[in-house]
Amino acid sequence: GGEDGVGAEGRVVTAIGRDRRERTRMAAFPIQGVEHKPHLKRASSRYSIQEVLAGGAASLVSWRLETGRTHQIRVHAKFLNAPLLGDVTYGGRTELAGLGTMQRPALHAATLGFDHPKTGKRLKFERDAPEDFLAALRDLRRHRQPTST
């Protein structure tokens, strides 16, 4: 795949804190000096493009969190100028094919793993994507051309 195509991957490292204009939303901030700013937390995520959809208007992306901040994937996707489909809070589009049945951000935690805080035991949970997510994905796979804006 090309730089922006299947197989493209990267790492996002920012500070995350409350958006100064919209307090119900989080925002990315420069990482420099985060240790001296108690209102900000360091956040890092890795991403990998799994599939390009709808003629390049959308992509199926795998995210792996290195930290666990509020709205971290949503904030980092917006930071990359690639907000989640259906995520109107963070600038995502809702008008692409397939989203008529999905009234939420196109985000699914397929795998969740962490070390138990008391026992230290590694815990791992897996879930299949819900039907609304799968239906939107099927529609985006069928839709070949980008939707005009």
Side-chain angles (χ1 to χ4, degrees):
E3 185 168 316
D4 294 322
V6 174
E9 56 185 34
R11 185 168 183 242
V12 182
V13 180
T14 68
I16 287 183
R18 293 256 167 231
D19 188 304
R20 293 180 183 127
R21 290 167 299 224
E22 180 61 54
R23 300 292 296 163
T24 59
R25 185 172 61 199
M26 305 303 281
F29 295 91
I31 192 69
Q32 294 76 17
V34 67
E35 62 276 3
H36 304 296
K37 299 173 182 170
H39 61 289
L40 298 178
K41 303 274 189 223
R42 181 183 187 284
S44 70
S45 307
R46 293 185 183 274
Y47 66 89
S48 173
I49 297 176
Q50 304 298 306
E51 189 176 348
V52 176
L53 304 161
S59 295
L60 180 63
V61 179
S62 173
W63 289 87
R64 184 174 181 90
L65 304 183
E66 296 175 344
T67 54
R69 306 297 178 209
T70 300
H71 296 187
Q72 182 171 323
I73 291 172
R74 298 167 71 189
V75 171
H76 279 172
K78 179 181 173 68
F79 177 79
L80 292 173
N81 200 27
L84 303 176
L85 290 175
D87 192 357
V88 293
T89 301
Y90 289 95
R93 297 168 56 180
T94 58
E95 71 275 13
L96 283 179
L99 289 183
T101 60
M102 196 164 185
Q103 303 301 314
R104 62 178 183 89
L107 183 63
H108 169 65
T111 304
L112 178 65
F114 56 91
D115 296 331
H116 190 282
K118 287 201 163 74
T119 67
K121 180 183 175 191
R122 187 70 182 167
L123 300 176
K124 185 176 177 183
F125 304 90
E126 295 184 15
R127 289 290 178 266
D128 292 335
E131 184 51 39
D132 66 342
F133 187 97
L134 295 173
L137 188 56
R138 282 192 299 272
D139 287 348
L140 288 168
R141 284 176 174 148
R142 281 193 294 267
H143 188 73
R144 296 288 172 224
Q145 298 301 316
T147 303
S148 58
T149 52

